[in-house]
């Protein structure tokens, strides 16, 4: 999941989870509140208990009224009022006023209720309404007015103390606010921790990776576990590390190849130069004292100089191919005709060496390949020269075979020479590689022939390989791309 989505979800969760927890907790705590209030007033918000208090109020008012109507010296009967007060809910207070005199007042009202704040006769008659008896002290007031026989105005006041309920509601509200804050802080901290862990941890891994690369260490791996933006970044980073490592390895390989190349070149150049130097010294010292000897010396110097020239040519060609600086001139080549021309060119020399060369092709149609005529000739000459060089039979044979596939044309050169050992086959296309036998033999050569051929065939988009068996002969095979016109169609012109 993307980081953006995760952030949105976590923000929604930060709002939703605490809200849900808060609602659930409030639901259960409100039950406790209800019971607490019930405990204080012995009333419920629904049903029976409220009716009880109203009934008790009416009974008490009736009792007091009857008593007031029948007793004139009410001051002597404080006990009666006291009993009525006790009969009422313990949060209800009674005040009785006759004309302007307070006849009785419950003890818990005495501190708060002033004579002058009581409503006037007839003002709230029968009403049940809140009344402030002092600052921040609210009570529910019920007033009952009547006249006694002597015409005095009597008012009975019942006060229901609601300030405790108010306090309970107030503390409940405070607890709820604190609870809400705690739930919000807790859920946001937990969610923020989880979110930051999922973002910061992989970032730290990346940071460690960068430090390792900075210190030149590329041998580690970053495990990508998430599939978000950081996961993508880690994958790209891992790819970058892998490529860097590969390119470093290639660079090191190039470096060691370069060293090997220089040592090979120096060795191969030194051999003919040393020989030339030796023969020249021989002439200078007068060792070649007869015309025949002189002739032999000069001839050897010429051959060695020609070898050197050929080697320098091959080295130059190989290095140009290696650096891909040799231009290729690809054209449409009729491969059968082309091979026939090559054979024609070589036939005379091969006949002299008792080597038969045969082109075996049963195909009737012409096969066109994409090739650089000059470079392809170099490949073919290298292969045939090798067959001649490493021929150990009295009657040599070279069979050239052509196979026509959909996209490629396969050409093979099979000889009956000395063959190549299984161990040597994988290396014969490496530069400067010569099997031990050929290196020690008189055949001559630098070991660049097949390396050059391989580069040339690869530039053609083809492949080259060898199949051989010691003593029985060698088969060198290469594949060339068939000619395609601009529309990708093959030219089959029979
Ligand atoms: N037809 C073959 N028969 C036997 N061995 C072969 C044949 N072709 C190649 N080889 C072996 O493969 C090696 C590499 O061949 P390659 O043509 O690259 O070098 P070379 O012939 O030794 O030297 P160069 O071609 O540079 O004069 C040879 O030294 C030889 O041992
Ligand atoms: Mg060769």
């Amino acid at each position: 999941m993307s980081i953006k989505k995760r952030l949105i979800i976590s923000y929604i969760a930060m709002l939703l989870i605490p809200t849900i927890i808060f609602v659930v907790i409030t639901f259960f705590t409100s039950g406790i509140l209800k019971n607490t209030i019930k405990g204080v007033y012995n009333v419920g918000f629904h049903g029976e208990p409220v009716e009880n208090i109203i009934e008790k109020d009416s009974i008490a008012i009736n009792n007091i009224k009857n008593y007031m109507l029948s007793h004139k010296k009410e001051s002597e009967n404080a006990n009666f009022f006291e009993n009525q007060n006790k009969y009422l809910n313990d949060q209800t207070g009674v005040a009785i006023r006759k004309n302007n005199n307070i006849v009785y007042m419950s003890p818990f009202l005495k501190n708060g209720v002033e004579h002058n704040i009581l409503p006037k006769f007839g003002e709230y008659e029968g009403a049940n309404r809140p009344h402030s008896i002092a600052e921040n002290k609210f009570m529910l007031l019920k007033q009952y007015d009547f006249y006694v026989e002597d015409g005095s105005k009597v008012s009975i006041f019942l006060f229901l103390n609601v300030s405790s309920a108010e306090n309970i509601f107030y503390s409940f509200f405070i607890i709820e606010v604190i609870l809400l804050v705690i739930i919000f802080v807790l859920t946001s901290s937990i969610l923020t921790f989880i979110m930051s862990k999922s973002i910061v941890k992989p970032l730290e891994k990346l940071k460690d990776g960068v430090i390792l690369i900075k210190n030149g260490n590329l041998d580690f791996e970053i495990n990508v576990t998430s599939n978000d933006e950081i996961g993508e970044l880690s994958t790209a980073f891992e790819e970058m590390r892998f490529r860097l490592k590969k390119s470093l390895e290639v660079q090191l390989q190039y470096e060691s190849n370069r060293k090997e190349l220089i040592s090979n070149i120096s060795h191969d150049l030194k051999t003919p130069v040393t020989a030339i130097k030796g023969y020249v010294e021989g002439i200078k010292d007068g060792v070649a004292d007869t015309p025949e000897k002189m002739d032999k010396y000069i001839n050897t110097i010429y051959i060695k100089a020609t070898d050197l020239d050929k080697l320098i040519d091959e080295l130059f060609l190989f290095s140009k191919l290696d650096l891909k600086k040799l231009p290729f001139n690809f054209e449409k080549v009729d491969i059968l005709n082309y091979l026939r021309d090559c054979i024609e060119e070589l036939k005379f020399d091969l006949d002299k060496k008792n080597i038969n060369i045969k082109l075996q092709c049963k195909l009737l149609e012409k096969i066109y390949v994409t090739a650089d005529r000059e470079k392809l000739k170099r490949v073919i000459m290298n292969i045939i020269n090798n067959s001649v060089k490493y021929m150990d039979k009295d009657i040599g044979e070279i069979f050239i075979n052509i196979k026509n596939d959909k996209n490629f044309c396969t050409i093979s050169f099979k000889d009956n020479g000395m063959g190549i050992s299984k161990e040597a086959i994988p290396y014969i296309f490496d530069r400067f590689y010569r099997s031990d036998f050929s290196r020690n033999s008189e055949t001559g050569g630098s070991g660049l022939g097949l390396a050059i051929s391989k580069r040339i065939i690869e530039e053609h988009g083809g492949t080259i390989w060898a199949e051989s068996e010691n003593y029985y002969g060698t088969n060198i095979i290469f594949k060339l791309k068939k000619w395609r016109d601009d529309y990708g169609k093959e030219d089959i012109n029979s």
Side-chain angles (χ1 to χ4, degrees), residues 163-214:
S163 51
S164 335
E166 198 184 298
N167 284 341
I168 291 166
F169 274 115
Y170 184 66
S171 36
F172 181 72
F173 175 74
I174 300 236
I175 289 168
E176 288 289 285
V177 170
I178 294 169
L179 202 70
L180 190 66
V181 171
I182 292 171
I183 292 169
F184 261 104
V185 169
L186 268 179
T187 43
S188 338
S189 325
I190 292 167
L191 284 170
T192 311
F193 176 73
I194 295 169
M195 269 302 291
S196 67
K197 213 177 138 193
S198 73
I199 295 171
V200 172
K201 227 180 162 186
L203 276 179
E204 270 175 357
K205 264 192 193 178
L206 274 177
K207 191 191 86 187
D208 293 344
V210 172
I211 292 171
L212 282 173
I213 291 182
K214 195 183 88 185

Side-chain angles (χ1 to χ4, degrees), residues 386 389-390 415 428 433-435 438 445-450 474:
N386 280 349
K389 248 200 305 190
Y390 306 111
D415 63 42
I428 60 169
Y433 180 82
R434 307 192 71 212
S435 74
S438 31
S446 57
L448 279 172
L450 286 181
T474 305

Side-chain angles (χ1 to χ4, degrees), residues 7-8 13 29 70 142 205 210 219 247 259 271 280 319 334 355 357 395 399 426 483:
L7 279 174
I8 293 171
T29 47
S70 54
K142 198 173 195 178
K205 264 192 193 178
V210 172
D219 294 317
S247 76
K259 284 179 188 159
T271 318
V280 171
S319 89
D334 173 353
I355 296 172
I357 186 157
I395 297 169
F399 295 109
W483 173 265

Side-chain angles (χ1 to χ4, degrees), residues 266-328:
S266 330
H267 174 267
D268 283 31
L269 288 178
K270 196 167 171 60
T271 318
V273 170
T274 315
I276 292 168
K277 208 176 134 201
Y279 283 102
V280 171
E281 272 169 8
I283 296 168
K284 265 174 76 182
D285 296 346
V287 180
D289 45 5
T290 60
E292 292 80 35
K293 264 191 185 173
M294 184 61 104
D295 240 25
K296 198 185 154 201
Y297 271 48
I298 300 252
N299 211 22
T300 314
I301 291 171
Y302 177 75
I303 291 168
K304 293 291 169 194
T306 313
D307 279 356
L308 197 62
D309 191 40
K310 193 186 153 214
L311 178 62
I312 291 168
D313 267 359
E314 285 205 325
L315 272 172
F316 194 51
L317 175 68
F318 179 78
S319 89
K320 278 217 264 185
L321 275 166
D322 210 27
L323 295 167
K324 299 200 184 294
K325 281 195 173 157
L326 196 69
F328 277 70

